[in-house]
């Protein structure tokens, strides 16, 4: 279950939402708290003294505009959203229109029709073999004055690409009034271990179908993210990549550079930043720091826990049988690490 603690009243609120026994990821974006990583996607908001937890259904994109009712074809507009099979299409009606052909791959359930901004009663239209047949609707000619909302039958399984991600960070461009970056990046889906996904501009509930990148192979999975030097650092289990936001000629490009070919991070909950330098734990090398985000260089990553790594001591940081539950945090300019009921810290 997800619980919320009120610091003022001391009360604990328990949300009765089903959560499988696996760890998800909390992240905040534009005043809202989100949680994902277990096959679902929740939004937690606070307003008017009320805390709400809701399932994120996903933004419904306007995929087609200027559609012809006689053919169902129009101009491409927004991309499909991985979070939902739902989409919208706008048509330019003609006087006394009685038939509207739907775009290809449109399902026959829960089709909603709006005319001049008002919803048409479902009793006034029916679905027949890829088209809608209207009865008693006095359509007038207009431009994009009819909007249908329907489902794409090809979207089966797309939502889980996002809802099974376990690592999240915001990054990209000017914040434009946001306290975070302009896009949300997600990764950590075991079925897409070397893939990370990008949200649409300032919308963590819209992941366009083509907004993703694949880094290397699945044997070296993406484990977490960080920010350093004005860019996005993408950690894999055995390597590190650096991405920069570039805006040129009206287009956004996220460049990718490999900055460490053989050292990565295998425990994402240890990734922290102090003085604009990323610190994390690696079960093979110990606590590490990113000294530079330039192109691949063995000096980009350095070990900073040599005095506590140890070789034989049972109190040594390395060589433990299990690092499950390890976590790191920054407090008073120290990197603190908790693992196996032991506590370590490094002073900078």
């Amino acid at each position: 279950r997800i619980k919320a603690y009120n610091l003022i009243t001391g009360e604990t609120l328990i949300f009765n939402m089903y959560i499988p026994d696996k760890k998800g990821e909390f992240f905040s974006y534009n005043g809202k708290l989100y949680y994902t990583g277990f096959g679902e996607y929740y939004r937690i908001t606070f307003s008017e003294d009320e805390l709400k937890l809701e399932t994120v259904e996903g933004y419904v994109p306007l995929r087609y505009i200027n559609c012809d009712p006689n053919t169902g074809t129009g101009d491409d507009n927004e991309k499909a959203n991985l979070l939902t099979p739902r989409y919208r299409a706008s048509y330019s009606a003609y006087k006394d229109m009685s038939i509207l052909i739907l775009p290809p791959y449109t399902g026959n359930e829960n089709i909603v029709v709006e005319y001049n901004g008002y919803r048409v009663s479902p009793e006034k239209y029916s679905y027949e073999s890829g088209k809608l047949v209207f009865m008693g609707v006095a359509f007038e000619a207009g431009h994009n004055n009819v909007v249908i909302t329907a489902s794409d039958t090809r979207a089966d399984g797309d939502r889980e690409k996002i809802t099974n991600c376990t690592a999240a960070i915001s990054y990209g461009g000017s914040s434009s009034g946001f306290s975070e970056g302009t896009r949300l990046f997600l990764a950590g889906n075991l079925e897409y271990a070397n893939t990370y996904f990008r949200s649409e501009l300032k919308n963590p509930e819209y992941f366009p179908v083509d907004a993703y990148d694949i880094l290397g192979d699945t044997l070296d999975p993406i484990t977490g993210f960080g920010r350093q030097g004005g860019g996005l650092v993408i950690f894999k289990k055995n390597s590190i990549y650096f991405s920069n936001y570039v805006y040129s000629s009206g287009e956004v490009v996220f460049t990718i550079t490999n900055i460490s070919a053989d050292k990565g991070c295998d425990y994402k909950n240890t990734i922290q930043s102090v003085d604009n330098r990323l610190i994390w734990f690696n079960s093979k090398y110990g606590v590490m720091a990113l000294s530079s985000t330039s192109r691949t260089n063995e000096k980009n990553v350095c070990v900073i826990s040599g005095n506590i790594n140890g070789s034989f001591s049972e109190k040594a940081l390395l060589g433990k049988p299990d690092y499950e539950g390890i976590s790191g945090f920054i407090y008073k300019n120290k990197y603190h690490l908790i693992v196996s009921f032991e506590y370590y810290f490094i002073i900078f």
Side-chain angles (χ1 to χ4, degrees):
R1 293 183 178 182
I2 294 179
K3 300 179 181 179
Y5 179 73
N6 190 318
L7 293 174
I8 297 176
T9 66
E11 297 177 342
T12 299
L13 176 63
I14 300 176
F15 294 105
N16 291 316
M17 306 290 281
Y18 172 70
I19 300 175
D21 185 19
K22 92 182 215 185
K23 295 180 181 179
E25 175 85 350
F26 279 106
F27 61 91
S28 62
Y29 197 88
N30 197 29
K32 300 173 183 177
L33 184 64
Y34 291 89
Y35 189 56
T36 188
F38 49 88
E40 212 20 284
Y41 192 9
Y42 291 140
R43 178 198 317 112
I44 303 171
T45 57
F46 182 80
S47 62
E48 298 179 354
D49 296 326
E50 183 180 5
L51 197 63
K52 294 182 179 179
L53 187 147
E54 304 166 292
T55 297
V56 175
E57 302 294 347
Y59 168 75
V60 180
L62 181 61
R63 287 179 56 186
Y64 310 109
I65 59 175
N66 307 320
C67 293
D68 183 349
N70 292 317
T71 64
T73 59
D75 299 321
D76 291 337
N77 189 46
E78 296 177 320
K79 298 290 185 178
N81 184 0
L82 289 174
L83 279 172
T84 176
R86 304 290 284 170
Y87 76 91
R88 293 175 291 148
S90 63
Y91 287 75
S92 297
Y94 54 86
K95 186 175 177 58
D96 298 328
M97 179 179 71
S98 60
I99 293 178
L100 180 152
I101 296 180
L102 296 166
Y105 306 103
T106 298
N108 61 359
E109 297 181 355
N110 194 21
I111 299 176
V112 177
V113 180
E114 294 179 71
Y115 171 49
N116 286 334
Y118 294 94
R119 186 166 178 170
V120 177
S121 171
E123 298 177 354
K124 293 188 176 182
Y125 59 90
S126 61
Y127 175 88
E128 294 182 13
S129 302
K131 62 180 180 289
L132 296 181
V133 178
F134 294 95
M135 299 154 287
V137 182
F139 287 110
E140 295 291 337
H143 181 63
N144 287 322
N145 57 342
V146 175
V147 178
I148 65 105
T149 302
S151 297
D152 191 321
T153 58
R154 296 169 295 179
D156 184 42
D158 280 350
R159 180 177 173 85
E160 286 72 25
K161 293 178 181 178
I162 301 301
T163 62
N164 280 323
C165 287
T166 58
I169 197 170
S170 59
Y171 169 73
S174 172
S175 62
S176 302
F178 278 49
S179 60
E180 303 89 355
T182 54
R183 286 173 173 80
L184 179 70
F185 287 68
L186 293 178
N189 185 331
L190 295 180
E191 293 187 12
Y192 299 89
N194 58 342
T195 303
Y196 65 91
F197 304 89
R198 298 187 304 272
S199 76
E200 185 52 87
L201 183 70
K202 295 185 285 189
N203 191 346
E205 302 182 12
Y206 180 18
F207 287 83
V209 292
D210 59 351
Y212 67 91
D213 281 298
I214 297 175
L215 294 181
D217 57 43
T218 57
L219 295 177
D220 187 17
I222 297 173
T223 55
F225 298 107
R227 288 189 292 260
Q228 182 169 320
L232 175 67
V233 178
I234 305 170
F235 289 94
K236 303 191 75 180
K237 186 176 181 179
N238 300 305
S239 57
I240 305 173
Y241 288 80
F242 183 75
S243 177
N244 246 330
Y245 173 96
V246 179
Y247 184 79
S248 177
S249 302
E251 293 187 358
V252 172
V253 177
F254 291 92
T255 63
I256 288 289
T257 304
N258 178 258
I259 58 175
S260 176
D262 59 355
K263 295 180 179 67
C265 173
D266 45 359
Y267 290 95
K268 72 179 181 69
N269 290 332
T270 66
I271 301 171
Q272 297 293 330
S273 177
V274 59
D275 294 332
N276 194 35
R277 183 169 61 160
L278 288 169
I279 311 293
W280 70 94
F281 173 77
N282 179 293
S283 60
K284 182 178 180 180
Y285 299 101
V287 179
M288 315 193 78
L290 185 62
S291 58
S292 172
T293 56
S294 62
R295 61 183 181 179
T296 305
N297 187 326
E298 63 180 9
K299 296 181 180 180
N300 283 342
V301 177
C302 57
V303 177
I304 60 174
S305 60
N307 62 325
I308 60 174
N309 280 350
S311 299
F312 305 103
S313 171
E314 63 179 14
K315 296 297 183 181
L317 178 59
L318 296 183
K320 297 187 182 304
D322 185 11
Y323 289 98
E324 183 67 25
I326 187 173
S327 63
F329 61 94
I330 300 295
Y331 181 67
K332 292 187 176 181
N333 210 42
K334 299 177 183 177
Y335 179 77
H336 301 255
L337 195 66
I338 300 175
V339 54
S340 299
F341 300 103
E342 295 177 2
Y343 175 67
Y344 305 85
F345 66 86
I346 297 177
I347 302 174
F348 297 94

